[in-house]
Structures are given as structure tokens and as C-alpha cells.
Amino acid sequence: MNFKGLFIFIALLMASNGFAKNIEFEEFDLPNGLHVIMHKDDSTPIVAVTVTYHVGSKNEHPERTGFAHFFEHLMFEGSKYIERGKFDKLVLGNGGTLNANTSWDRTFYYEILPSNQLELGLWLEAERMLHLKIDTVGVETQRKVVKEERKQRLDNQPYGSILEQTFAHAYKVHPYRWIPIGSVQYIDQATIDEFIAFHDSFYVPNNATLSIAGDIDYDKTKEWVTKYYKDIPMGNKIERPTEVEPPMEGVVRDTVYDNIQLPAVIHAYHMPAQGTKDYYAIDMLTTLLSRGKSSRIYKEVVDNKQLAVQAVSVPLALEDPGLFVSFGIVNMGVSPDSLSDALDTEIIKAQNELITEKEFQKLRNQIENDFISSNSTVSGIAGSLANYHVYFGDADLINNEIDRYMDVTREDIKRVANKYLTLDKRVVLYYLPKSEKK
């Protein structure tokens, strides 16, 4: 990292907004459908330029999975006016940082730059929205990159396939049944024309939210946004998945043999979509069960009973109903059944007993702290504003979503534990060492 990049990194860590401070912003739409959100924070001389495309792995054809993740990489290949390999250099050379990530529901690109380079960031994102280079060299290069990433992160990583296996077992109808990294087979089979068609369908202004936060002037920023984005053509109407996953009718149980030494246990339950009333109660339940070493699962399963070297529960919040996943790696000499029963014991306890007032207050404090932390940097604010607009059509949730958490009662937490964490309607996976396969 060069000196300028280090400065940006340090400034990014220092820039913050207190919880009590209302996050002000302005937003507008261009005629081509691009939604723009601007937040001014002149406490540090940096700016985050972000673009959220409302496309993720759930928008893919089941025989062409991995396209959204592929484009996460391809979008850095270059464009009509940016030579191959120069996109990163333009940002880094001007003291900035950049990256992107892909989920089931959206793809997120960002640059964090000195505020005097705002125009550069806006031009870079507009350039690849309008003039992305999709040619043989770029496509073949990124095929290799994506395949190597999958090999390193999933295929050759102990327990690396847990998410892929869990979602494949939990969903049979909804496109959440595959994960964003996709299939090497389908990426290999895809043609350039198919990649171009996917790009033309989803990487268009009417499927994008441009969110800018930091040391900016609203009028000047709006002027630059209009200059660089107004002539980008609107795409066709965006087709969204309509499949609805039916309720589980029983336990889906399976064993996966992996290159591991210690077995693992995975329990997965269907949970409500993000933003719904019950989602907030489920999220708080997860914090109760496995947030930190004082959480219920860690104290009982890891510390007291010493059945696992690690055990957590995670709510995978998605635009459509997602998954509540409990995961543990068994301790030496412990059977997977013993760990599975211990995880169930903590779920049953949450179903049968109200949490104590002391636990509840600690839980509320943790949730409030998480909310503050998520919006403590200009990049975090830009991302949150975009997410709230994309998923809920209300960017102001950045200021009041915390109220939805604070409205959750102890009774709500007990109720959702009973409603969604149904022991006879879930996925149960055991990961066992390959040496145990008969």
C-alpha cells in the first residue's frame, strides 16, 4: 500500500458518526432510471463512490450459475476508454482503495478516494457501466481467475463447501439453491454472447443505485453525476425471480465426506426475509445464542460441555426468505450426535423460556452497537443507504431501522424460536473425514 493509500485507510477508520446523529442525505433519479444518493460528511477529506447493481446469483439461469460473481471480476477488466489492467491503477495511483463483492441478491462496487478525486471515481463507474469491455481476452482471463478462486475457497478448503451443500439441501425450487461463486462447469460452457446478454440485462442504470458519501458538495456532485451518467441508455424491464420455496415437510438429513480431521454439524432452518418483523427477532435470537464468548451456545457447548472447538449460529438474511444456520466443529473424541443434541438443547431452551431481563438488555446494547458500527465510516454509510433503497425503497431506514430492533420483545424472541426453528423441519448435515467413508 502506498503512502496515499495508507492515509485513506487511516482516515477511513477514523471517520465516524455517532448513533444519536441523524444521517442526512439527498437523493434523486436520472431519466434513465439511475437512483442517486448523496451524504455529506466533511470530517475527513475522503469520499466513497459506490454502485449497487440489483443482481446476484438468484438472477441466474440454473444452467449458468456464477454469472454475477463472474461479472464482479470482469468489471475490472477495462472499458472503451480504460485500458486493460488500468482500472485498479487509476484508483490506487490516486491514493484510493477499491473492491467489490457479490451476494445472492446484489453486486456492490466501491472506490474510496481523497475527496478531490471524486470526479475520477464517478467517471470510472460510469465508464464501466456504459463501455465495459467484454471480449475474448477478458473473458478467458476471468474464467481462470474465477475457477482458481473456487478451488482455493471451496474445493481445497476444509469445510469449504458447507454453504454450497447447505443451500443445495435447503432449497429445491428457489434460485437460492446455488451460491454466488457458481459452477465451474457452467462458466466454462458460457459463450461471450451469453455474458453480453447478462450484462445488458442487469448492468444498466435502471437496475443500479449510485451512493456517494464523504467530503462532497451536493450541487457539484449532482452536476458531475448528471454529466457522466445521463446519457447511459436505460435497459429493458428487469425480470425478477418469482419462485417461492415451499415449506419443508420434514428433516433433510445427509452426510458429506470432506478432507477434514474433526467432524462438523450443520443445522439449517428457513427464516423470514430481511426487513420483515420476525426477521428482527430472529436476528436478536442469533446474537443471544452465539455472539461472543459469553453467548449461550459458546458458554454451554464450547466452554462448559467442551463438545465443540467452535460453535455459532448465523442468520443469512436475504431479500427472499433465507436460512438460520447453526454450525459446530466437534471436539476430539466427541460424536457428531452429541454436538447435534447440544445445539438442539439451546434451541429448545430458547423456545421454552423467556430470556432474562439482564440478557435482554445486553442483547439490545449489542444490537445498538452493531448498528452504530455498520454506519461508522463513509463507505459503510454509502453501502447502507444503497441497501435500504434497493431492498426496501427507503434509504431513511439508515436512521430508524434500529427502532424495529428496539420494538422486539422478549416474547417475540421466544415466539420466533418456536415458529421458525422447528426441529422436525430442517436440514441436518454431518461433515465427516473422508477416512470414515465406507
Side-chain angles (χ1 to χ4, degrees):
M1 180 182 293
N2 60 26
F3 180 79
K4 287 183 178 179
L6 178 62
F7 167 76
I8 291 298
F9 179 71
I10 293 172
L12 174 63
L13 292 178
M14 295 176 63
S16 65
N17 285 268
F19 171 67
K21 181 180 178 181
N22 193 64
I23 296 175
E24 297 181 350
F25 59 93
E26 292 187 8
E27 53 189 334
F28 64 95
D29 291 302
L30 292 180
N32 59 11
L34 179 70
H35 189 73
V36 184
I37 309 174
M38 304 179 296
H39 164 69
K40 180 177 176 62
D41 177 356
D42 57 9
S43 59
T44 54
I46 60 174
V47 63
V49 177
T50 75
V51 177
T52 301
Y53 291 98
H54 196 180
V55 55
S57 58
K58 79 168 186 292
N59 301 95
E60 299 161 349
H61 188 279
E63 293 184 359
R64 287 296 182 266
T65 63
F67 269 41
H69 174 246
F70 186 85
F71 270 95
E72 176 195 321
H73 291 265
L74 193 66
M75 292 281 272
F76 290 92
E77 269 293 308
S79 68
K80 183 176 180 179
Y81 298 110
I82 302 174
E83 293 180 26
R84 195 180 312 279
K86 292 294 181 67
F87 195 99
D88 290 14
K89 292 179 180 179
L90 282 168
V91 175
L92 299 174
N94 283 281
T97 60
L98 72 167
N99 215 329
N101 56 72
T102 308
S103 77
W104 287 265
D105 300 313
R106 63 99 180 100
T107 310
F108 181 68
Y109 300 86
Y110 69 87
E111 295 85 36
I112 303 167
L113 291 155
S115 52
N116 62 3
Q117 295 298 327
L118 169 60
E119 187 176 10
L120 171 66
L122 293 173
W123 173 73
L124 286 169
E125 289 296 348
E127 176 60 17
R128 64 178 169 186
M129 185 185 293
L130 177 60
H131 292 136
L132 182 67
K133 186 179 294 182
I134 307 177
D135 60 14
T136 301
V137 175
V139 167
E140 295 309 320
T141 298
Q142 295 309 324
R143 280 195 221 264
K144 295 176 184 177
V145 171
V146 168
K147 288 192 288 186
E148 183 62 25
E149 181 179 346
R150 181 187 167 91
K151 185 185 299 183
Q152 295 299 321
R153 289 175 51 186
L154 270 73
D155 301 337
N156 294 343
Q157 185 77 18
Y159 314 105
S161 65
I162 281 179
L163 271 185
E164 186 170 55
Q165 289 286 346
T166 301
F167 275 79
H169 283 81
Y171 292 94
K172 301 303 178 188
V173 175
H174 195 281
Y176 285 158
R177 62 186 184 272
W178 57 85
I179 62 175
I181 202 164
S183 165
V184 168
Q185 172 191 1
Y186 297 141
I187 291 298
D188 272 342
Q189 291 174 356
T191 66
I192 288 182
D193 286 344
E194 288 177 303
F195 286 125
I196 291 173
F198 190 82
H199 175 270
D200 291 349
S201 294
F202 296 107
Y203 297 85
V204 291
N206 47 308
N207 197 43
T209 298
L210 173 64
S211 184
I212 309 142
D215 184 19
I216 64 173
D217 176 87
Y218 282 143
D219 291 338
K220 191 63 179 179
T221 302
K222 187 171 184 178
E223 177 187 327
W224 281 334
V225 168
T226 303
K227 173 184 175 181
Y228 290 114
Y229 292 85
K230 68 180 178 63
D231 293 329
I232 301 177
M234 175 185 289
N236 295 324
K237 181 180 179 181
I238 311 299
E239 297 296 331
R240 307 287 181 198
T242 58
E243 297 89 342
V244 177
E245 186 68 25
M248 297 187 71
E249 296 181 352
V251 177
V252 177
R253 191 181 300 272
D254 203 356
T255 300
V256 178
Y257 294 94
D258 197 5
N259 187 26
I260 56 177
Q261 293 183 325
L262 295 175
V265 174
I266 301 94
H267 297 162
Y269 310 81
H270 286 284
M271 61 172 274
Q274 61 184 8
T276 59
K277 179 180 179 180
D278 283 357
Y279 160 73
Y280 296 101
I282 282 281
D283 195 25
M284 293 181 77
L285 173 60
T286 301
T287 302
L288 170 74
L289 291 175
S290 69
R291 169 71 180 274
K293 293 187 176 181
S294 63
S295 62
R296 286 186 175 185
I297 286 180
Y298 196 95
K299 283 176 62 177
E300 286 301 312
V301 178
V302 178
D303 278 351
N304 295 343
K305 297 177 182 177
Q306 297 187 357
L307 297 175
V309 296
Q310 185 59 267
V312 297
S313 64
V314 180
L316 296 170
L318 300 173
E319 187 171 18
D320 294 334
L323 293 181
F324 179 101
V325 179
S326 293
F327 163 76
I329 300 175
V330 303
N331 218 335
M332 189 71 71
V334 175
S335 71
D337 286 342
S338 296
L339 175 55
S340 183
D341 290 344
L343 293 173
D344 287 349
T345 296
E346 296 309 311
I347 297 298
I348 293 169
K349 180 180 177 182
Q351 292 173 332
N352 292 338
E353 303 172 14
L354 281 177
I355 68 172
T356 67
E357 286 286 1
K358 182 178 179 180
E359 281 182 308
F360 188 52
Q361 187 55 54
K362 176 185 175 183
L363 188 57
R364 286 165 61 91
N365 292 341
Q366 288 174 315
I367 293 295
E368 188 172 84
N369 182 67
D370 289 347
F371 194 78
I372 295 170
S373 297
S374 67
N375 297 317
S376 64
T377 65
V378 291
S379 59
I381 290 171
S384 292
L385 286 167
N387 282 340
Y388 287 130
H389 169 73
V390 169
Y391 295 135
F392 311 117
D394 182 10
D396 198 45
L397 280 172
I398 198 170
N399 291 311
N400 56 51
E401 189 188 34
I402 188 64
D403 297 336
R404 300 185 181 188
Y405 282 104
M406 296 300 104
D407 286 342
V408 173
T409 65
R410 294 190 299 155
E411 289 77 13
D412 286 329
I413 294 172
K414 180 174 181 287
R415 176 181 57 79
V416 296
N418 282 278
K419 182 176 181 179
Y420 298 102
L421 308 187
T422 309
L423 301 186
D424 59 357
K425 294 179 181 179
R426 60 177 177 170
V427 173
V428 177
L429 296 180
Y430 283 3
Y431 265 63
L432 299 180
K434 287 183 177 179
S435 60
E436 296 187 17
K437 189 174 184 178
K438 298 178 181 179

